[in-house]
């Protein structure tokens, strides 16, 4: 698996692509640089296809790519015509505006109508498209499709939904120059696709960054951001589930219940006294049903009750549409239960727990840790956060590393805070995004805590995580 793995998978959906662009920008690689590379690539590929070029330019980033390509093709001695069917003031992207000005200075001819050429380059609608093509893009796509020329689409054919490939009216491309990684919509067209490297550094793919905080917007109804139950705690370990629950609440879950033997005073959390698998007067399943729980965090501090409780939780999750976080003691008993979790769960092992999950000893070698994370994900059909100095997040065919955090986070309770945060985020997003955002944000919070207070206690992490989560929109 590891040898062939592209870090974030083979195809990048719109959100993943945006995340990588933001990560890249945070590393000092600007959008302008990427656009320049994108356009230069298109020009290089296109030049051999004819002598005259009609470039259809939209008002977004893809239009910018097209304007760069126009300038480069003109420099290469080709006859270049640009059709920009909008008003200049409609362009929102600064980089596209700049490239419009540059194209005007570069021997490009601006035309008002569809004009004959050997090659048509589609720079109309890219990853920012919403719905069916509207006028004037619609008519230009239709005219292109009726016209006999070699057709090149930038990034993806205009009109196509980048994530699903849905396409009622699409630019009929002979060749598609897609930027950085193919989009899921291109799956059935791969024989026509060239992937252009536009200067995004490998690090932006391989490691988590601020772009991985691009979570779905919060729902506006109570409960739509997660009703979380944390099931944990025992006579010996009383604090762990409370840390996890408080972390879930602060990370944005609407309602957080704590099913645990001992009460602690947190007015924002709802306590249910749990004795073994009984919750107040109810069975565990009855309680989950009554509280209308849609995310369960199970494990922190469970100790010897872990097997029985985890079993029951997994049974419940199989019947109902709930997401799961398995941590600590629940991870230790998972191999014995042997359930597949149907891609609705996130497992949060450290190296020792990972080793138990796989039944083999593991070292700290990065390669071995990556393989282990993939193997756990495969075996249990779940996403995995393998915690450590360099965390590994793996989910089916996707994997990413994380370097946020520091050695002050080895104190007790940081793992409990992490499982609570991922529980909260599972309330409003899919496991891959919940796991990525949590791993990055908890580590980043550890860095901020140490800088500001000289420690990374769970309490400080819990207070800091919300700010980090909201730092990207
Ligand atoms: N970001 C980066 O770092 C890099 C990005 N790159 C390139 O940028 C592209 C993404 O750029 P983007 O986000 O600006 O979107 P893009 O699709 O070009 O424009 C959308 C425009 O179309 C419009 N529109 C929407 N739907 C419509 C419809 N149905 N029918 C008609 N119009 C519609 C919409 O207008 P609105 O409706 O909002 O007024 C908006 O103005 C990406 O594909 C890649 O090629 C590269 O340069 C590398 C670096
Ligand atoms: N030495 C370290 N360097 C960087 N981050 C660390 C380090 N140790 C732990 N962390 C971070 O602390 C969090 C909790 O991990 P860990 O301490 O392994 O959990 P647990 O509490 O289950 O032992 C994770 O976000 C992890 O990335
Ligand atoms: K870390």
């Amino acid at each position: 698996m590891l040898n062939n793995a592209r870090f974030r998978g083979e195809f990048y959906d719109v959100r993943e692509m945006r995340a990588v662009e933001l990560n890249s920008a945070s590393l000092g690689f600007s959008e302008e640089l990427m656009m320049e590379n994108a356009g230069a690539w298109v020009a290089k590929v296109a030049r051999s296809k004819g002598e005259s070029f009609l470039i259809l330019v939209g008002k977004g980033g893809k239009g910018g790519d097209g304007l760069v390509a126009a300038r480069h093709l003109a420099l290469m001695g080709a006859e270049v015509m640009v059709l920009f069917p909008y008003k200049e003031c409609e362009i929102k992207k600064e980089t596209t505006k700049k490239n419009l000005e540059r194209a005007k200075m570069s021997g490009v001819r601006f035309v008002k109508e569809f004009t004959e050429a050997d090659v048509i380059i589609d720079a109309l609608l890219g990853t920012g498209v919403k719905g069916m093509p509207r006028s004037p893009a619609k008519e230009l796509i239709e005219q292109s499709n009726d016209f006999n020329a070699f057709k090149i689409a930038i990034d993806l054919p205009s009109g196509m939904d980048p994530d699903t490939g849905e396409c009622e009216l699409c630019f009929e491309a002979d060749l598609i120059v897609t930027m950085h990684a193919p989009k899921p919509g291109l799956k059935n067209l791969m024989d026509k696709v060239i992937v252009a490297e536009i200067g995004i550094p490998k690090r932006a793919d391989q490691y988590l960054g601020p772009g991985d905080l691009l979570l779905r917007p919060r729902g506006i109804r109570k409960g739509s951001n997660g009703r979380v139950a944390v099931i944990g705690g025992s006579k010996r370990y009383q604090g762990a589930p409370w840390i996890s629950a408080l972390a879930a609440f602060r990370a944005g879950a609407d309602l957080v219940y704590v099913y645990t033997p001992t009460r602690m005073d947190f007015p924002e959390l709802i306590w249910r006294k749990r004795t073994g698998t009984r919750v107040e007067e109810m069975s565990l399943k009855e309680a989950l049903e009554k509280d209308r729980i849609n995310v369960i965090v199970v494990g922190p501090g469970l100790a010897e009750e872990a097997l029985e409780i985890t079993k029951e939780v997994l049974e419940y999750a199989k019947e109902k549409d709930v997401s799961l976080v398995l941590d600590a003691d629940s991870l230790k008993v998972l191999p014995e239960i042997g359930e597949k979790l149907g891609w609705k769960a996130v497992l949060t092992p450290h190296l020792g727990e990972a080793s138990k999950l796989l039944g083999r000893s593991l070292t700290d070698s990065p390669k071995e840790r990556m393989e282990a994370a993939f193997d756990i994900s495969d075996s249990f059909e779940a996403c995995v956060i393998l915690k450590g100095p360099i965390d590994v997040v793996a989910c089916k065919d996707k994997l990413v590393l994380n370097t946020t955090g520091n050695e002050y986070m080895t104190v007790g309770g940081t793992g409990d805070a992490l499982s609570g945060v991922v529980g909260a985020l599972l309330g409003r997003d899919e496991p891959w995004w919940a796991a990525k955002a949590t791993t990055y944000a908890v580590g980043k919070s550890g860095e901020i805590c140490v800088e500001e207070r000289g420690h990374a206690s769970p309490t400080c992490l819990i207070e800091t995580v919300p700010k980090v989560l909201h730092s990207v929109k």
Side-chain angles (χ1 to χ4, degrees):
M1 185 70 155
L2 201 53
N3 290 335
N4 307 325
R6 272 202 63 135
F7 270 76
R8 292 167 188 257
E10 198 181 342
F11 296 91
Y12 282 20
D13 63 18
V14 172
R15 187 157 49 142
E16 200 73 47
M17 192 61 221
R18 180 88 192 111
V20 169
E21 283 162 7
L22 283 175
N23 292 350
S24 197
S26 80
L27 296 167
F29 297 80
S30 65
E31 187 180 89
E32 189 169 359
L33 176 145
M34 294 177 221
M35 191 177 275
E36 187 66 24
N37 286 329
W41 246 97
V42 171
K44 215 165 161 182
V45 170
R47 183 64 187 95
S48 62
K49 307 294 180 193
E51 286 306 318
S52 56
F53 296 82
L54 174 66
I55 308 186
L56 309 173
V57 172
K59 53 189 167 152
K62 175 159 154 173
D65 298 347
L67 290 164
V68 174
R71 168 160 46 86
H72 281 264
L73 280 165
L75 285 172
M76 292 170 182
E79 183 192 350
V80 185
M81 291 159 286
V82 162
L83 176 48
F84 178 67
Y86 299 95
K87 293 198 198 84
E88 288 185 24
C89 61
E90 290 180 77
I91 303 178
K92 286 177 204 139
K93 251 188 201 307
E94 279 309 311
T95 43
T96 302
K97 268 186 206 160
K98 262 192 201 171
N99 280 308
L100 180 62
E101 294 312 313
R102 289 173 185 157
K104 285 181 189 166
M105 293 186 271
S106 308
V108 170
R109 184 151 69 94
F110 282 79
V111 294
K112 295 231 166 341
E113 291 178 346
F114 195 88
T115 311
E116 285 192 17
D118 300 339
V119 182
I120 302 176
I121 298 181
D122 155 28
L124 287 168
L125 307 173
T127 51
V129 68
K130 297 273 176 300
M132 281 275 287
R134 296 185 303 268
S135 191
K138 176 174 178 284
E139 289 75 19
L140 290 176
I141 296 169
E142 284 165 351
Q143 278 174 304
S144 304
N145 291 349
D146 288 342
F147 189 76
N148 188 19
F150 190 82
K151 294 180 195 118
I152 301 176
I154 299 181
D155 213 19
L156 69 154
S158 283
M160 174 184 279
D161 180 316
D163 290 348
T164 64
E166 244 172 90
C167 173
E168 266 181 60
L169 171 68
C170 267
F171 182 82
E172 288 165 10
D174 298 300
L175 193 66
I176 301 160
V177 182
T178 198
M179 303 311 159
H180 187 64
K183 317 299 176 283
L186 298 174
K187 263 179 198 162
N188 298 325
L189 298 172
M190 287 308 285
D191 51 334
K192 294 183 179 172
V193 170
I194 295 179
V195 180
E197 280 306 341
I198 55 173
I200 293 177
K202 292 257 183 298
R203 203 187 149 77
D205 293 302
Q206 293 173 349
Y207 290 88
L208 293 176
D212 294 289
L213 299 174
L214 282 176
L215 293 162
R216 281 188 199 139
R218 284 178 68 79
I220 50 170
R221 275 181 305 105
K222 192 158 202 106
S224 59
N225 302 294
R227 301 172 68 100
V228 178
V230 177
I231 308 176
S234 54
K235 289 261 147 50
R236 264 186 301 148
Y237 303 104
Q238 301 173 9
W242 290 95
I243 293 174
S244 192
L246 199 58
F249 189 76
R250 293 285 169 77
D254 280 342
L255 289 160
V256 181
Y257 294 78
V258 196
Y259 296 1
T260 189
T262 359
R263 171 176 206 142
M264 290 194 180
D265 266 329
F266 293 105
E268 57 271 69
L269 306 176
I270 305 157
W271 180 56
R272 297 243 181 273
K273 185 175 174 59
R274 181 182 60 75
T275 315
T277 55
R278 301 292 298 175
V279 179
E280 294 168 353
E281 304 306 310
M282 297 168 279
S283 73
L284 189 54
K285 289 180 187 173
E286 283 163 350
L288 291 165
E289 181 102 50
K290 176 165 177 256
D291 291 333
R292 290 187 284 134
I293 297 302
N294 54 21
V295 182
I296 304 170
V297 179
V298 61
L302 263 185
E304 51 279 331
E305 289 175 345
L307 182 61
E308 207 182 345
I309 288 170
T310 310
K311 243 188 198 160
E312 204 159 321
V313 166
L314 295 192
E315 271 172 30
Y316 184 78
K318 213 171 191 177
E319 292 163 23
K320 306 278 172 176
D321 187 26
V322 296
S323 304
L324 293 174
V325 180
L326 269 69
D327 187 26
D329 297 312
S330 287
L331 294 172
K332 293 184 191 143
V333 298
L334 188 56
E336 199 176 327
I337 303 172
E339 280 283 343
K340 306 246 182 209
L341 304 171
W343 304 110
K344 294 194 296 186
V346 177
L347 313 182
T348 60
H350 52 55
L351 198 65
E353 287 155 352
S355 161
K356 288 215 175 74
L357 280 168
L358 291 173
R360 68 176 194 246
S361 63
L362 295 170
T363 70
D364 245 333
S365 113
K367 183 168 174 286
E368 210 173 309
R369 288 165 49 84
M370 287 195 276
E371 259 159 11
F374 261 144
D375 288 347
I376 295 169
S377 176
D378 266 358
S379 317
F380 298 100
E381 294 185 355
C383 293
V384 179
I385 302 173
L386 176 49
K387 298 174 292 191
I390 297 181
D391 312 287
V392 185
V393 178
C395 202
K396 225 180 228 176
D397 59 341
K398 301 178 189 157
L399 178 143
V400 67
L401 304 172
N402 179 56
T403 54
T404 61
N406 51 49
E407 63 280 10
Y408 293 86
M409 295 178 72
T410 52
V411 297
T414 54
D416 303 321
L418 181 134
S419 64
V421 175
V422 76
L425 299 188
L426 271 179
R428 63 184 249 226
D429 217 321
E430 46 197 83
W432 168 243
W433 281 90
K436 289 196 302 173
T438 297
T439 307
Y440 180 80
V442 170
K444 197 77 195 164
S445 301
E447 293 172 9
I448 294 169
C449 286
V450 169
E451 204 177 296
E452 290 180 356
R453 306 193 200 171
H455 64 75
S457 68
T459 319
C460 182
L461 293 183
I462 290 168
E463 282 168 22
T464 313
V465 153
K467 219 167 43 189
V468 178
L469 287 175
H470 293 143
S471 61
V472 169
K473 296 241 155 41

